[in-house]
Amino acid sequence: FQRFSKIPKYHFTCITFWICTRKRLSPTDHVWKLSRKINYTFVRLPSSLLHQVGDNMALKVYNTSSREMEVFEPLQKGKIGMYVCGPTTYDLSHMGHARAYVAFDVIRRYLENIGYDVTYVQNFTDVDDKIIARSKERGIPPLEFAQLYVDEYFKDMDMLGIMRATHHPYASKTIDDMIALVKGLIEKGFAYNVKGNVYFSIYKALDKVGQLTHQSLDEMLDGARVEINPEKDHPKDFALWKRAKEGEIS
């Protein structure tokens, strides 16, 4: 573990403390026991990333597409870009957030420790149906409501010793970029507009579908995550843009 001198040792114990204080649990609670198991997973994580190659230590990562461990080679020598999906800020952080962000923080710290210049980006989804609904219940403007939980998120991650990202883009502040991207997909024929809702056409990218999951289109279940929408050309098409309902921000 000497190679991970820049990784705080308390990473692997403070998550348990955080869970118990956040949820007001006692050490005998089953969540405490579960968090201890997760701690051990974190400790084992770095060793699973390293493989001996000759006299040198080479970083290998699992390629989901090839399903093989491959030597890691950055696109730009000495530099690494990490994008980690951030929270949708309609509620407090939970153990799933803690587990994911500690794990990625360990990876980031390790990469920096062995000499890489890491640009770490983590977004905040502060425009969402749940945010709009809960902000109405509280009588608070949606973006103001979302920021309350961004602030709470940072408090929790600071308690876990997690480094701040290099950049924290907000969905609400990148709307123009989203519109430009969606318009581009429509112009290229990969997306279509139905009464203000824009959907990605799955049949326009059949050669790419299932590359990471190694599934054919027929193996994917319709309506497994969201209810089947009859206005789509195909049930598996997914939303890129939703029209604003009355009273919603737009």
Side-chain angles (χ1 to χ4, degrees), residues 11-73:
H11 252 332
F12 310 115
T13 54
C14 67
I15 184 171
T16 301
F17 170 77
W18 173 80
I19 292 167
C20 291
T21 55
R22 193 64 163 164
K23 302 298 183 181
R24 294 183 174 85
L25 303 174
S26 69
T28 58
D29 192 278
H30 70 281
V31 178
W32 173 282
K33 296 175 183 177
L34 176 60
S35 65
R36 288 183 63 194
K37 293 181 181 178
I38 294 176
N39 288 342
Y40 302 147
T41 301
F42 292 151
V43 173
R44 290 197 301 269
L45 178 62
S47 62
S48 68
L49 293 175
L50 290 171
H51 291 261
Q52 188 74 33
V53 180
D55 294 328
N56 301 313
M57 297 296 282
L59 176 64
K60 284 192 174 185
V61 295
Y62 181 76
N63 185 328
T64 310
S65 180
S66 67
R67 291 188 172 180
E68 294 180 353
M69 295 294 294
E70 300 177 4
V71 175
F72 178 74
E73 296 181 4

Side-chain angles (χ1 to χ4, degrees), residues 24 26 59 100 129 135-136 145 150 156-158 180-181 188 192 194 199 204 220 245 250:
R24 294 183 174 85
S26 69
L59 176 64
D129 290 339
S135 67
K136 283 184 178 180
F145 175 84
V150 170
D156 290 335
M157 298 304 110
D158 288 347
L181 179 61
K188 293 176 182 178
Y192 56 94
V194 182
Y199 300 101
K204 297 291 185 178
M220 300 178 188
K245 299 175 183 176
S250 62

Side-chain angles (χ1 to χ4, degrees), residues 194-206:
V194 182
K195 301 176 183 179
N197 294 320
V198 180
Y199 300 101
F200 185 88
S201 179
I202 203 77
Y203 274 106
K204 297 291 185 178
L206 280 179

Side-chain angles (χ1 to χ4, degrees), residues 150-174:
V150 170
D151 296 341
E152 289 299 316
Y153 167 84
F154 278 132
K155 289 178 184 177
D156 290 335
M157 298 304 110
D158 288 347
M159 187 183 294
L160 291 173
I162 293 174
M163 295 171 62
R164 298 287 175 97
T166 313
H167 304 288
H168 279 289
Y170 284 66
S172 62
K173 298 176 182 178
T174 53

